[in-house]
């Protein structure tokens, strides 16, 4: 990639462009003067501006003609104007237009829509129509009890008498043959409240209390007792199954195709260690487990994919039971389950299912040896696990949009440091038809001296597993200098977080311009690798993959002696805030400074659905042992810490941050604390990001940051943003 010196910025050229010709054997610690730091702040702000809107021709949003013979798309050009491209789908031949009306006239069409995801959960008094499918009966709830009235003569059946307004029957559904009703006796639970005070609401003289329901780990759930109501028996039959106490809704019921006497429902046990598909005999209320999966750690609830093709008694589901996330085909009548995909790689998502042709389109990572296992590729496979087609063969992170009939698709791919390429491909065999676009960088970006992040891989704590991350260096990087390290941390563990598509510029690079090497890593305990990789987080949130991250940074220092492992800081928001404080408490030998924003520092205080997934249920002593908000753990703080919280955080209660502050004070520790009036779940916004920069400049570069009040760098109080607006 083309690099050049900075243009038109004399102070920076004077202060910064003094790169040694010969590299010293032992790099000298980078310790800028105060004047140089001020220049670097200005330079970083200038780079933020120069690198905005830096990439062009990086995506194609296709508008297909109805017969799918052609489509058009718009390109935004560097000068701000638009070009319109008409593409013949079969040949890939392109025509250019300068006017949208002209290209639309040539190929009228509508934007491609991705298929909707299947809805799995919900709650209502009725799951569909109150009137039976045969139009003979109407079901209704009265005073909490279930009734059915025959529409021809008004005859009424009272199925229940023990329901009340406080504990009613509900979520009722008819069988397709109108012979059965099924529903629940519901025992509602009122969630407890969390509170915060808005301290600076305009035109008020008192703080405003805000309260809302918020379920924390261990809190009780509404429970549901499942019943069936055969019309010929005219009574309620309790299903022989334990109450449904998780999640906070009644599961949907799915009636067997061709024999509506039977239906199935899904049940996750609270604690996330057992998943079942349970079949119910509507006539007797007896049950059998069609699927019964158990684990000693966790089944990832939000990644559990289930799909029930219409008019077929089969289920397509995901599971990690063999150590990797794969797809399985279940015969719902026999209970026989067969693998569709297999291998030491991960199914990331299901794009679409064609039950008639028995085909599945899905995304996966890790199938290609030697490639970043987090890169997303697209595939098609048969229900029987045969006929696998690689739809995106080039190395890179892919994003695909299909034409409405899937006859064609548009594939855009890139890596974190390679520009996007967009191709048109044949939907049947994946063959390339044409290169539609190759992204380009703006002239200002090319002249800035900035380069995209570097990918770096090192072994994890087991000495075997590859840990992947990225590195951002100052644009005036001097290998003869030794730079402090900042880690941008977010350990999930609900996903992986290091960017995989092209990143021309980010806050990481903006921070690097101040004189840091900035890294981001996916350590063990995060998702999208093997089950064993992910299981590290189980009842072990405080681990945060920190042992892998430390080894990774040390390996980076072996490659680049300019990496100063004696000056390592980190910053993060939300779970990343918790990870930051955990690092300073439990890995203080390595991490020396941290900025933590709105963290869920005590997993007993944060939201139930997230914390019980990873920390388990019931709430045990391990919750307290890993809390950052106990005095026993607060005593372990040795480094420098800045806590940032928005007083109006509706995601993680602000009290989580205040409890950490309280524990640190009682432990006799010093720290910095920033509470931002009116702000929600955030890294602190422009002011917080300014304070983060100042904090690391002071404690890792060991130089006083600019004096904002004295006007060394102007700040605009009317907009709440720096005049030089940092990323």
């Amino acid at each position: 990639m083309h690099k050049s010196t900075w243009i038109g910025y004399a102070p920076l050229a004077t202060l910064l462009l003094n790169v040694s010709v010969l590299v010293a054997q032992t790099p000298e610690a980078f310790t800028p003067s105060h004047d140089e730091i001020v220049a670097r702040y200005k330079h970083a702000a200038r780079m933020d501006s120069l690198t905005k809107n830096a990439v062009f021709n990086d995506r194609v949003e296709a508008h297909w003609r109805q017969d799918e013979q052609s489509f058009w798309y718009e390109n935004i050009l560097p000068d701000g104007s638009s070009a319109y491209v008409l593409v013949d789908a079969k040949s890939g031949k392109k025509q250019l237009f300068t006017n949208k009306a002209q290209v639309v006239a040539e190929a009228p069409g509508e934007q491609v829509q991705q298929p909707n995801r299947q809805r799995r959960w919900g709650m209502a008094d009725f799951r569909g129509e109150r009137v039976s499918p045969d139009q003979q009966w109407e079901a209704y709830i009265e005073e909490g009890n279930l009734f059915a009235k025959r529409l021809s003569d008004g005859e009424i059946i009272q199925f229940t008498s023990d329901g009340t307004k406080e504990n009613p029957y509900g979520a009722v559904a008819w069988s397709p043959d109108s012979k059965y009703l099924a529903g629940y006796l519901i025992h509602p639970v009122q969630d407890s409240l969390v509170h915060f005070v808005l301290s600076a609401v305009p035109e008020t003289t008192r703080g405003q209390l805000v309260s809302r329901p918020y379920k924390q780990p261990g809190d009780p759930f509404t429970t549901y007792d499942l019943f069936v109501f055969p019309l010929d028996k005219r009574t309620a039959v309790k299903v022989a199954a334990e109450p449904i106490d998780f999640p906070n809704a009644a599961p949907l019921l799915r009636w067997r195709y061709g024999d509506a006497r039977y239906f199935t429902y899904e049940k996750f046990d609270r604690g996330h260690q057992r998943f079942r598909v349970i079949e119910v005999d509507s006539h007797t209320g007896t049950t059998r487990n069609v699927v019964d999966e158990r684990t000693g750690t966790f089944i990832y609830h939000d990644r559990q994919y289930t799909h029930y093709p219409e008019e077929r008694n089969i289920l397509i589901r995901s599971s990690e039971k063999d150590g990797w996330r794969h797809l399985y085909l279940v015969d719902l009548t026999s209970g026989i389950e067969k693998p569709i995909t297999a291998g030491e790689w991960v199914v990331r998502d299901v794009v679409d299912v064609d039950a008639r042709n028995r085909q599945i389109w899905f995304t996966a990572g890790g199938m290609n040896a030697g490639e970043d296992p987090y890169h997303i590729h697209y595939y098609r496979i048969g229900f029987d696990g045969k006929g696998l087609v690689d739809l995106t063969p080039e190395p890179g992170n892919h994003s695909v949009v299909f034409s409405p009939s899937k006859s064609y698709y548009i594939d855009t791919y890139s890596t974190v440091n390679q520009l996007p390429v967009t191709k048109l491909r044949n939907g049947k065999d994946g063959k390339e038809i044409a290169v539609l676009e190759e992204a380009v960088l703006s002239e200002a970006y090319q002249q800035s001296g900035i380069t995209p992040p570097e990918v770096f891989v090192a072994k994890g704590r087991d000495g075997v597993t590859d840990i992947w991350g990225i590195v951002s260096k100052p644009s005036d990087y001097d290998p003869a200098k030794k730079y402090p390290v900042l880690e941008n941390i977010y350990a999930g563990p609900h996903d992986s977080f290091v960017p995989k598509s092209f990143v021309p510029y980010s806050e990481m690079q903006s921070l690097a311009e101040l004189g840091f090497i900035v890294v981001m890593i996916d350590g063990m305990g995060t998702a999208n690798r093997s089950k064993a990789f992910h299981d590290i987080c189980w009842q072990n949130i405080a681990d945060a993959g920190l042992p892998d991250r430390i080894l990774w940074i040390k390996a980076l220092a072996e490659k680049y002696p300019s990496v100063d492992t004696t000056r390592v800081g980190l910053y993060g928001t939300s779970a990343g805030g918790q990870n930051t404080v955990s690092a300073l408490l439990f890995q203080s030998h390595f991490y020396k400074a941290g900025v933590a924003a709105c963290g869920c520092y005590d997993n007993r205080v944060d939201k139930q659905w997230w914390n019980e997934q990873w920390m388990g249920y019931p709430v045990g002593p391990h919750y307290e042992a890993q809390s950052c908000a106990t005095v026993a753990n607060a005593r372990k703080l040795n480094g420098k810490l800045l806590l940032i919280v928005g007083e109006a955080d509706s995601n993680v209660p602000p009290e989580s941050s205040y409890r950490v502050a309280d524990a640190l004070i009682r432990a006799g520790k010093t720290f910095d604390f920033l509470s931002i009036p009116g702000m929600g779940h955030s890294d602190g916004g422009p002011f917080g990001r300014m304070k983060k920069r100042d904090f690391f400049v002071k404690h890792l570069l060991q130089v006083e940051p600019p004096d904002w009040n004295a006007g060394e760098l102007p700040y605009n109080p009317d907009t709440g943003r720096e005049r030089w607006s940092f990323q």
Side-chain angles (χ1 to χ4, degrees):
M1 181 175 296
H2 174 71
K3 294 182 67 175
S4 64
T5 56
W6 293 279
I7 296 174
Y9 202 73
L12 187 68
T14 302
L15 289 166
L16 301 184
L17 296 181
N18 183 24
V19 179
S20 300
V21 176
L22 298 177
V23 178
Q25 291 183 349
T26 302
E28 177 186 353
F30 176 65
T31 53
S33 67
H34 178 79
D35 287 345
E36 184 176 351
I37 277 296
V38 173
R40 283 184 172 274
Y41 271 76
K42 293 179 180 180
H43 168 66
R46 183 170 178 269
M47 292 301 101
D48 291 352
S49 177
L50 282 178
T51 54
K52 287 181 179 178
N53 304 317
V55 186
F56 297 89
N57 303 347
D58 58 332
R59 63 179 60 88
V60 170
E61 188 176 281
H63 300 258
W64 286 91
R65 203 170 75 177
Q66 190 170 4
D67 61 8
E68 294 190 30
Q69 296 300 304
S70 64
F71 63 91
W72 65 269
Y73 63 92
E74 178 184 7
N75 262 345
I76 305 298
L77 303 178
D79 64 2
S81 64
S82 292
Y84 299 91
V85 185
L86 176 63
V87 182
D88 179 272
K90 187 175 182 179
S91 67
K93 183 179 179 181
K94 298 192 293 185
Q95 292 179 264
L96 296 180
F97 295 84
T98 58
N99 185 287
K100 181 178 178 180
Q102 293 175 333
V103 73
V104 170
E106 289 288 333
E110 297 182 356
Q111 183 179 342
V112 176
Q113 300 292 323
Q114 294 281 24
N116 293 327
R117 293 193 176 277
Q118 187 180 14
R119 178 186 171 193
R120 292 203 300 262
W121 304 99
M123 176 184 173
D125 284 342
F126 282 87
R127 291 294 180 80
E129 299 297 328
R130 295 171 180 263
V131 177
S132 61
D134 65 5
Q135 305 296 305
Q136 299 299 307
W137 294 89
E138 181 183 11
Y140 60 96
I141 303 291
E142 187 174 287
E143 298 296 321
N145 287 294
L146 177 63
F147 297 79
K149 180 174 70 174
R150 184 152 51 198
L151 297 177
S152 61
D153 58 11
E155 178 188 356
I156 293 176
I157 301 173
Q158 182 172 352
F159 289 106
T160 69
S161 59
D162 59 336
T164 65
K165 290 182 179 179
E166 293 75 24
N167 296 283
Y169 285 84
V172 180
W174 282 101
S175 65
D177 62 4
S178 304
K179 293 181 179 180
Y180 305 96
L181 282 161
Y184 301 89
L185 177 59
I186 304 171
H187 306 277
V189 168
Q190 187 74 29
D191 288 341
S192 298
L193 302 177
V194 294
H195 317 276
F196 57 79
V197 175
L198 298 176
S199 60
V201 178
E203 300 180 4
T204 67
T205 58
R206 293 178 173 86
Q208 305 297 302
L209 177 66
V210 177
S211 304
R212 64 189 186 88
Y214 191 92
K215 193 179 292 296
Q216 294 176 328
D219 284 355
F221 276 89
T222 294
T223 59
Y224 303 83
D225 294 319
L226 180 58
F227 286 81
V228 290
F229 310 96
L231 263 69
D232 61 351
K233 291 187 176 182
R234 298 179 175 236
T235 189
V237 177
K238 191 175 188 307
V239 172
E242 63 266 45
I244 295 156
D245 61 354
F246 174 81
N248 207 30
L252 294 173
L253 310 179
R254 299 173 179 85
W255 303 86
R256 183 186 290 183
Y257 177 65
D259 187 356
R261 174 172 170 173
Y262 303 94
F263 65 85
T264 60
Y265 66 96
E266 298 177 6
K267 186 177 191 305
F268 261 100
D269 284 9
R270 189 169 184 182
H272 302 271
Q273 294 184 297
R274 189 182 188 188
F275 170 74
R276 282 174 283 174
V277 176
I278 301 172
E279 182 186 79
V280 177
D281 183 331
S282 298
H283 203 68
T284 65
T286 57
T287 63
R288 72 180 177 102
N289 294 327
V290 180
V291 172
D292 189 354
E293 182 176 344
R294 305 172 192 242
T295 181
T297 55
F298 61 89
I299 298 172
Y300 189 176
H301 178 266
D302 287 348
R303 290 280 180 92
Q304 185 74 9
Y305 175 82
T306 55
H307 176 73
Y308 299 81
E310 293 183 1
E311 300 185 352
R312 286 167 174 80
N313 292 316
I314 58 174
L315 160 67
I316 298 166
R317 78 179 192 100
S318 64
S319 173
E320 292 182 290
K321 62 183 180 179
D322 76 343
W324 303 82
R325 187 171 189 251
H326 283 294
L327 299 177
Y328 294 82
L329 182 69
V330 182
D331 186 314
L332 292 173
T333 55
S334 68
I336 295 174
E337 181 171 82
K338 296 181 179 179
I340 299 172
T341 62
E344 293 188 354
W345 48 273
V346 177
V347 172
R348 295 287 295 268
D349 201 0
V350 174
V351 177
D352 201 10
V353 175
D354 181 348
R356 184 173 65 85
N357 293 309
R358 298 179 64 83
Q359 291 182 321
I360 302 171
W361 286 259
F362 68 96
T363 60
M367 198 182 300
N368 301 331
E371 186 179 352
D372 186 332
Y374 296 96
H375 283 168
I376 292 175
H377 288 264
Y378 286 68
Y379 302 90
R380 186 179 65 239
I381 198 170
F383 282 13
D384 59 1
K386 298 178 181 179
L388 179 68
V389 178
D390 183 352
L391 299 171
T392 53
E394 289 90 351
N397 197 43
H398 291 256
S399 176
V400 164
V401 179
F402 292 92
S403 67
S405 71
K406 291 191 173 60
S407 297
Y408 303 95
Y409 60 95
I410 293 167
D411 172 22
T412 300
Y413 62 93
S414 66
T415 68
V416 70
N417 49 25
Q418 292 180 329
L419 284 161
V421 176
T422 301
K423 293 183 177 181
L424 174 66
R425 295 185 179 276
N426 187 296
K428 183 177 180 180
D429 54 21
K431 290 184 177 179
E432 178 182 324
I433 297 172
V435 175
L436 297 177
E437 297 294 339
E438 294 183 85
V440 296
L441 293 168
S442 67
E443 183 178 351
Y445 182 92
Q446 294 181 59
Q447 293 178 349
S448 70
I450 298 292
T451 58
E454 174 189 342
V455 176
F456 185 73
V457 184
K459 297 300 179 185
R461 69 188 75 179
D462 60 3
V464 176
T465 305
D466 284 339
I467 304 297
W468 291 72
I470 58 173
V471 184
S472 295
K473 301 175 184 176
S475 55
D476 68 328
Y477 170 72
D478 181 352
K481 301 291 185 182
K482 209 170 183 68
Y483 298 89
V485 179
L486 293 181
E487 180 182 351
N488 173 15
I489 190 169
Y490 194 95
H494 51 279
D495 210 333
S496 54
F497 304 96
V498 175
K500 299 300 172 183
S501 295
F502 185 69
V503 178
Y505 196 76
S506 68
E507 185 193 26
M508 288 176 58
Q509 185 63 49
S510 186
L511 284 166
E513 295 303 307
L514 298 181
F516 299 99
I517 290 176
V518 189
V519 304
M520 190 174 187
I521 308 156
D522 281 319
M524 289 186 183
T526 51
N528 302 322
R529 298 287 290 276
S530 69
K531 175 66 171 155
F533 190 101
H534 202 185
D535 276 349
I536 294 295
C537 73
W538 174 242
Q539 298 188 347
N540 190 33
I541 288 289
D543 179 276
L546 293 168
D548 311 300
R549 298 166 187 275
I550 292 170
L551 290 171
W552 190 96
I553 294 172
K554 288 180 176 179
L556 183 69
E558 290 180 7
K559 180 178 180 180
Y560 298 110
S562 55
V563 172
D564 189 347
T565 58
T566 68
R567 293 186 291 168
V568 180
L570 74 172
Y571 63 94
T573 301
S574 193
Q578 181 183 21
N579 305 148
T580 297
V581 178
S582 292
L584 293 176
L585 298 184
F586 306 121
Q587 302 286 351
S588 60
H589 67 284
F590 188 76
Y591 294 100
K592 305 305 182 185
V595 176
C598 62
C600 35
Y601 304 109
D602 188 322
N603 297 101
R604 298 167 296 182
V605 175
D606 191 30
K607 63 194 79 64
Q608 177 278 329
W609 65 266
W610 196 87
N611 291 273
E612 284 189 14
Q613 169 72 78
W614 315 118
M615 292 292 283
Y617 175 84
V619 175
H622 61 287
Y623 273 78
E624 181 176 356
Q626 297 179 55
S627 170
C628 300
T630 66
V631 175
N633 285 333
R635 288 196 182 104
K636 300 173 184 177
L637 179 67
N638 289 320
K640 304 297 184 180
L641 172 63
L642 166 60
L643 293 172
I644 299 175
V645 64
E647 69 173 9
D649 193 335
S650 60
N651 185 328
V652 177
E655 65 197 65
S656 180
S657 296
Y658 285 96
R659 287 169 184 258
V660 174
D662 178 64
L664 290 168
I665 291 169
R666 288 190 287 126
K669 297 295 182 177
T670 61
F671 61 99
D672 293 329
F673 191 89
L674 172 62
S675 177
I676 302 183
M679 180 160 283
H681 195 63
S682 167
D683 65 350
F687 186 73
R689 289 190 286 275
M690 177 187 74
K691 297 300 291 184
K692 174 169 61 181
R693 290 164 182 261
D694 292 353
F695 182 86
F696 287 130
V697 164
K698 180 176 181 178
H699 294 296
L700 291 182
L701 289 177
Q702 298 172 335
V703 61
E704 282 299 314
D707 187 340
W708 296 82
N709 292 346
E712 284 191 302
L713 287 179
Y715 183 80
N716 187 338
D718 295 326
T719 63
R721 294 181 63 85
E722 301 86 353
R723 190 168 298 172
W724 284 285
S725 181
F726 296 127
Q727 285 272 352

